[in-house]
Amino acid sequence: MSSSVNELVHWDAARLSEALVARVVSSEEVTQAHLDRIAAVDGPAETGVHAFLHVAAESALARAREVDADRAKGAVLGPLAGVPIGVKDVLTTRGMPTTCGSRMLEGWVPPYDATVVRELHAAGLVVLGKTNMDEFAMGSTTEHSAYGPTRNPWDATRVPGGSGGGSAAALAAFEAPLTVGSDTGGSIRQPAALTGTVGVKPTYGGVSRYGLVALASSLDQAGPCARTVLDTALLHAVIAGHDPYDSTSIPADVPDVVGAARQGASGDLTGVRVGVVEELSGEGYEAGVTARFTEAVALLREAGAEVVELSLPNLVHALAAYYLILPSEASSNLAKFDGMRYGLRVTPEGEHVTAEQVMRATRAAGFGDEAKRRIILGTYALSAGYYDAYYGSAQKVRTLVQRDFARAFGQVDVLVSPTAPTTAYRLGEKLDDPLAMYAGDVATIPANLAGIPGMSLPAGLSDDGLPVGLQVLAPQQADDRLYRVGAAVEARLTAQWGGSLLSQVPEWKGVPA
Amino acid sequence: MSVISRSEVEHLARLARIDMSDEELDRMAGQLGAVLDAVAQVSSAVTEDVPATSHPVPLVNVTRPDVVRPGLSAADALAGAPASEDGRFRVPQILEEDA
């Protein structure tokens, strides 16, 4: 990092929180430091990190001043009040553009806030802007954004993962200490792995989906992203909880994720039973990924955990089931983009143009290739004659995957695997080979099918110098276990490394000429 | 290899209301064939006696009290509309001429 960089952007949210409470720094200073950092590294779209699709400098500074004023008056504020945050562009923000990375919603300004966004405002967080993503969260590289890819801060020629590549890259490039993502098949965890950051997909229903533009309603889950396990927990606590506006939201208390993260930071996991998932290793996993994973498992043993290998045989069918269920739900959810009520409308030339012609022209122009592929695939899987063989069978696989997890969690407290089989791809490497891109989600997808929570945290660097992620999975509504185990691993690894993995990220120089 | 024909893709694109060029239809047919080939294994992975799961959390009959609560104003709802008139969405004709 160059000496001209304001130190504040390197602070994690917990440290910023303490300094804000002690009034050592103001939210305005912290917010301005991050806006300056964004201005320095994020653009231009062609060569910068390009983690943000929209930066709301004015409203962020105004909000920061409000929080500072409230604090000066002695108001009791939440622990993250005054801390800046980036929000994935799939969550609606009143008065701030929301595009979902699609031309279909270019320039659209939603008339309401997502519940998650409302929670952020209520907790005093300062929204810096909206982060880049694959179109409607369909993709694993962020190259399917209609507004151009996000670049990996570790190597500008590599992808940051996806679909939430913007939320992950913003953290790794020190543009924001916290971001919100959404995870339908790994869109929080896989980018976290590829950028050396932390991301959690909470239990399905643990965080409200109201205002989260739907991709696959039975799989989608918004969640917290940060640079440390504790920061991730602090944000998790802000956004989680029952929401009457989302009827699939769980009407139960949120597990004490912050307490669990603090407990885990001691590095002691005595009595914790950990299962290594046999099906999520071996063939297809790069040697450098396997090496870091094996070391992490050894570390869990050193921490006092009891580690066993477990087989979840139906996980081998999870990827196939997912790529039927997701397109099926997506084709239905994306039917609402019809050019009638909001977003793009393309009217073909000619007299007596009908609504149907407008819809077809609008959807042809508004959706990118990956969105079209999945809509067509979903339409096929749901059509008469194929429904039983494809969608019907995929739903049965889902049952088998859930049973495998239920059996496993009868024996262990958490399961672990590598988050992704490889480190970050080169930009363009998988663009014309959708199947190869889909295979990158093999380890993250099972959690979405089963509705269980999952975390990715940094496990080290592979031989190519790129980050590797460790995935931790827990039973539904036991999200706290992720934080205890994750914090223990993090504490031991950072002690080994002599600092966080991200302290090794090279200074951003942009795309090489 | 599960083959999905070009004319099948054309039919699906019509159902999904997406205009596609000839070149797009050809490309899509090839790519979808490969994807379907890879996902077809699901039908041999399950037996008849396995129940289907459509949702990860078994919540049923979620209701709320039947009371009026604030919603979007008409102006808010119409603010993003491509066209509106008299407080309503303005849309192209929905029936063909001489239908």
Side-chain angles (χ1 to χ4, degrees), chain A residues 317 345 355 372-373 386 399, chain B residues 8 24 41 51 53 90 93:
Chain A
H317 305 298
R345 175 185 289 183
K372 288 177 186 172
R373 266 197 291 273
Y386 299 106
T399 307
Chain B
E8 233 172 332
E24 229 178 336
Q41 57 162 291
T53 298
R90 184 180 165 82
Q93 66 179 68

Side-chain angles (χ1 to χ4, degrees), chain A residues 214-215 217 326-337 363 374-375 378-379 382:
Chain A
L215 168 56
S217 306
L326 178 132
S328 298
E329 294 191 23
S331 69
S332 165
N333 275 325
L334 296 178
K336 65 175 163 283
F337 299 107
R363 291 163 65 80
R374 297 201 194 182
I375 290 171
T379 307
L382 291 176

